[in-house]
Every structure is written in C-alpha cells, then in structure tokens.
Amino acid sequence: MNAQKKAAAEDKQPAQAKLSGKQYAEELARLHVELVKLQEWVSQTGAKVCIIFEGRDGAGKGGTIKAITERVSPRVFRVIALPAPSDREKTQMYMQRYLPYLPAAGEVVIFDRSWYNRAGVERVMGFCTKDDVRIFLKGVPLVERAIVGSGIILLKYWLEVSEEEQTRRLQARINDERKIWKLTKMDLDSYSRWYDYSRARDDMFAATDTSVSPWFVAQSDDKKKVRLNIISHLLAHIPYKRMPRAKVKLPKRQKAGGYRDPGHPLRMVPAKF
C-alpha cells in the first residue's frame, strides 16, 4: 500500500480521544529521554541521520521540529531552513545548495523544507519550468540513493493537514501578534491553490516514494498527536541503542582563596516579576 492509500485508510479509522495536556507532557518527556539516547549513540558511533520535513503551509512542521529538538544539543541536532536562493545559487545545479548541509559523522540534520521545494512551491508558484520539475523528479531518486549509499539514514516526512484546519491555523496567525510573522505573502498566495499543491504532492509521491527513500505521511490536524507519532516513528526507524555513560557526580567547589566581592556598582536588570 502506498503512502497516499495508507493516509486515506487512516482517515477512515474512528477518531480517538484527544490527549490531555498531562498525557502529552508525560509521553513527550519519555520520548525526549529516547532522543537523548539517540543523540549519544549518534555522537559515539559517528552515525549520520538526515530527516526531511515537508507538507502544506500550517501543517505543523515547525512545532514538530521544535518538539524533537528542545531537549537535545544543537551541535548534534542541526536544523536547516534555507532562505530563497541567491542570484549565484540560482545558476547552480539545483541540488548543489543543499548538499553541503548533509550530515557528517555524529550529526542529525533536520531540513525544515528541503530540495523538495522544486516539486512543491517552485512548481505551483511558477518559479521554475515544467522541464525543471520533470528533470528534478527523474533525478532526485538517484541522488537519494547515493545519499543512502554513503551511509546516511534518510527519513522523509510529509505532514498533511485538512482544508478546514489549515484555514483555522492561518486565520489564527492573522489574529495573533506572536504568530503574524509566520504568515508571509507566499503563504497567502499559496493558500488559494489547494488543488495545485495536491497535484504537485501526488506527482512527487509517485516519482520519489521509493523503497530506498520512502515517504512517511502523518495526519497533523491534532498537533500533539502528530508530534508524538513522528518522534516515535523516527526512533523506531533508527537502529540506536543506549550507550555506556559514566556516572556523573559534582566535584567539590574550590575554596575562596582570599576572593572578595569587588563591590563594583553593577547595572542590575529591574526585578519586575
């Protein structure tokens, strides 16, 4: 069964009860412990992990990535979110600007959108030609085969959100001063092209959902559940194990050795709270 059929089958399953805040926090804390174990395994074994997040605007990619990374080291878990290409980058081979960000030994690299921009936003918004898309879809499975062949564990996630929930989330950004920065002109232009994006997604899956680098689709209308589901899934698909860890004990502090507070008039931050 391909990814689209799996997602459709899941949509037909009876809706499960929402998680309480306490249930979510407890389960996320347990998964964070496992992510720390994964981090130690990656660091000590020199493993290389690349995780790609794609999906519709408002599907929850950012929140999911934050849930993955909030308790691990940014020196091991690196998040890559590239801006629009420069004039020079526009003249390069398309995949060229992404390749330098692939993980080296001991790294987990998370792409918040990736080379699949060409199959999605660039195609839908007319930033590239039909031939550009055709060449990309034909070539990217070969590139990903080479990436996996180099020893990188490659995981690709597509977050799918319903029309109604996308509208609710984007509307919430308009009404929330903390989130308005998330709503760009590109998001607004893209919003009206739901079915253009659907066609682009379907063509992308058909060409790049391979046995070597498959797509995993997660329904994201429930933000809490999709975060837990994806973290659980990626942990299950990386062959990490708990690594030996020396017992930590705080050492004794040094003696003052004659140190005295110099009494410098410090500029203190006002204690308003």
Side-chain angles (χ1 to χ4, degrees):
M1 184 184 294
N2 62 29
Q4 295 159 277
K5 291 181 179 178
K6 286 182 181 178
E10 290 173 0
D11 288 343
K12 295 178 181 179
Q13 294 175 357
Q16 297 178 346
K18 283 187 172 293
L19 290 173
S20 68
K22 181 180 179 181
Q23 287 175 314
Y24 172 70
E26 289 177 348
E27 188 61 23
L28 186 59
R30 183 188 69 80
L31 292 172
H32 281 158
V33 171
E34 294 303 313
L35 286 168
V36 170
K37 293 178 185 177
L38 169 62
Q39 174 178 270
E40 293 174 340
W41 176 79
V42 166
S43 297
Q44 293 185 40
T45 64
K48 299 176 288 186
V49 180
C50 181
I51 306 172
I52 290 174
F53 281 98
E54 295 286 348
R56 297 182 186 274
D57 294 327
K61 297 180 293 298
T64 301
I65 292 170
K66 183 177 180 180
I68 293 170
T69 59
E70 63 182 335
R71 296 292 181 176
V72 292
S73 170
R75 290 183 292 274
V76 177
F77 280 74
R78 297 192 298 113
V79 178
I80 306 299
L82 296 184
S86 66
D87 289 341
R88 179 177 182 275
E89 288 170 332
K90 289 177 182 177
T91 68
Q92 295 175 339
M93 180 183 76
Y94 180 73
M95 288 286 293
Q96 187 173 340
R97 70 188 297 243
Y98 294 96
L99 296 180
Y101 296 97
L102 291 174
E107 293 180 342
V108 178
V109 170
I110 300 174
F111 280 96
D112 184 355
R113 296 203 182 277
S114 66
W115 46 86
Y116 282 101
N117 279 335
R118 172 131 298 180
V121 63
E122 290 190 12
R123 166 183 167 166
V124 173
M125 302 306 295
F127 297 151
C128 63
T129 67
K130 291 181 179 180
D131 278 346
D132 290 334
V133 177
R134 177 183 57 79
I135 292 169
F136 170 78
L137 292 178
K138 184 177 181 180
V140 74
L142 302 176
V143 175
E144 290 179 355
R145 180 179 290 275
I147 290 172
V148 174
S150 75
I152 294 174
I153 297 171
L154 178 62
L155 295 171
K156 303 187 302 190
Y157 291 102
W158 175 273
L159 274 64
E160 186 63 43
V161 65
S162 67
E163 292 182 72
E164 297 77 16
E165 181 62 15
Q166 185 193 52
T167 297
R168 189 193 69 77
R169 291 179 185 177
L170 297 184
Q171 188 65 50
R173 292 180 184 180
I174 295 174
N175 300 327
D176 190 334
E177 290 290 340
R178 301 166 300 171
K179 298 179 180 179
I180 190 64
W181 64 271
K182 292 184 175 183
L183 196 60
T184 66
K185 183 179 184 301
M186 184 71 66
D187 295 329
L188 296 174
D189 291 343
S190 299
Y191 174 76
S192 63
R193 306 191 183 196
W194 178 272
Y195 290 104
D196 287 343
Y197 273 99
S198 295
R199 294 183 186 96
R201 176 205 59 198
D202 295 346
D203 289 346
M204 181 188 75
F205 283 164
T208 65
D209 181 24
T210 67
S211 59
V212 172
S213 56
W215 279 102
F216 298 104
V217 179
Q219 184 62 41
S220 66
D221 279 15
D222 188 315
K223 290 182 178 181
K224 292 178 180 178
K225 288 185 178 180
V226 76
R227 293 168 189 170
L228 299 180
N229 288 336
I230 286 178
I231 296 173
S232 299
H233 185 275
L234 73 86
L235 288 169
H237 282 74
I238 301 174
Y240 75 100
K241 61 181 180 180
R242 185 176 190 133
M243 304 301 288
R245 184 191 301 166
K247 188 175 182 180
V248 178
K249 183 179 179 180
L250 292 176
K252 292 182 179 179
R253 291 192 191 275
Q254 66 180 163
K255 294 182 179 180
Y259 171 80
R260 292 183 181 181
D261 189 323
H264 184 82
L266 299 174
R267 295 170 178 81
M268 301 299 293
V269 175
K272 293 184 176 181
F273 303 98

